[in-house]
Amino acid sequence: MPFPDEHAQVSVVEYQPRWPAEFELIAEVLREALGDRALGVDHVGSTSVPGLPAKDCIDVQVRMRSIDEARDVPLLAGIGFRCRPEPWNRVEVCAGLRCHKLVFAPPAGARSCNVHLREAAGPNVRFTLLFRDYLRADDVARRAWGAFKQRLASSVPDLSDYGQIKAPATEVLMAGAERWAVETGWNGFPEA
């Protein structure tokens, strides 16, 4: 759920070439604040896929050795990031496993983003990178996914409803991504 200063309505826009540079600005702030606690900072989600329409919100994945809410929330709060309070922003199920995570909103008034802290070896890290890499590699899947998101946002602009409808469609997309991973030998885990 958005904080009061964030948009609750979904708008999917055409890909913006500025998104990678905007990600780098956010990533640098996070790298500086987290130091060696962060094993890597990845541009993920739809804004990380050239040519893919997306919500104008940068998704950032921070691969952590471990998630420690008592340590991580104050660290990010110290640079203005706000921990999202909903239970689904603390745990996600991926490959049948419960994976701990923390999701942060940007400082009030800052560039729209979601910062996802995940344990580096978790299947949710692989899932997120597979989503990105598959859509970067497969032009047909990328165009179809973009068209789906644009139609969905135009008919269901409420953020919560949009997300609930998009979730099962994402599972269908990821079945194709898993086939692609096998066919190409994609392994999914970057070097720490």
Side-chain angles (χ1 to χ4, degrees), residues 19-64:
W19 287 338
E22 291 174 343
F23 158 75
E24 285 300 334
L25 293 173
I26 298 165
E28 185 55 38
V29 168
L30 293 167
R31 286 183 195 108
E32 193 171 304
L34 293 169
D36 64 359
R37 290 176 193 88
L39 299 176
V41 181
D42 309 308
H43 189 185
V44 296
S46 294
T47 63
S48 71
V49 180
L52 181 63
K55 296 187 311 281
D56 189 17
C57 178
I58 305 291
D59 280 305
V60 179
Q61 174 173 264
V62 181
R63 290 177 277 119
M64 305 285 288

Side-chain angles (χ1 to χ4, degrees), residues 15 24 28 42-43 54 58 60-61 63 86 98-99 103 105-107 123 126 143-144 154 156 158 173 180:
Y15 178 79
E24 285 300 334
E28 185 55 38
D42 309 308
H43 189 185
I58 305 291
V60 179
Q61 174 173 264
R63 290 177 277 119
E86 300 84 11
R98 289 175 50 88
C99 302
V103 181
R126 180 190 178 277
R143 283 196 312 268
S154 69
V156 184
D158 177 78
L173 174 76
W180 172 82

Side-chain angles (χ1 to χ4, degrees), residues 93-166:
V93 176
C94 189
L97 300 173
R98 289 175 50 88
C99 302
H100 295 289
K101 70 173 185 172
L102 292 172
V103 181
F104 294 83
R111 202 259 181 262
S112 181
C113 68
N114 284 306
V115 176
H116 305 259
L117 269 57
R118 294 185 170 112
E119 293 179 343
N124 51 346
V125 167
R126 180 190 178 277
F127 181 95
T128 302
L129 295 173
L130 176 58
F131 172 91
R132 179 195 70 192
D133 292 354
Y134 172 59
L135 288 175
R136 284 179 175 175
D138 190 307
D139 188 52
V140 172
R142 180 176 54 256
R143 283 196 312 268
W145 187 246
F148 163 72
K149 289 188 349 165
Q150 288 174 315
R151 285 190 311 273
L152 179 58
S154 69
S155 60
V156 184
D158 177 78
L159 183 62
S160 178
D161 293 342
Y162 173 89
Q164 288 181 10
I165 293 169
K166 192 176 83 166

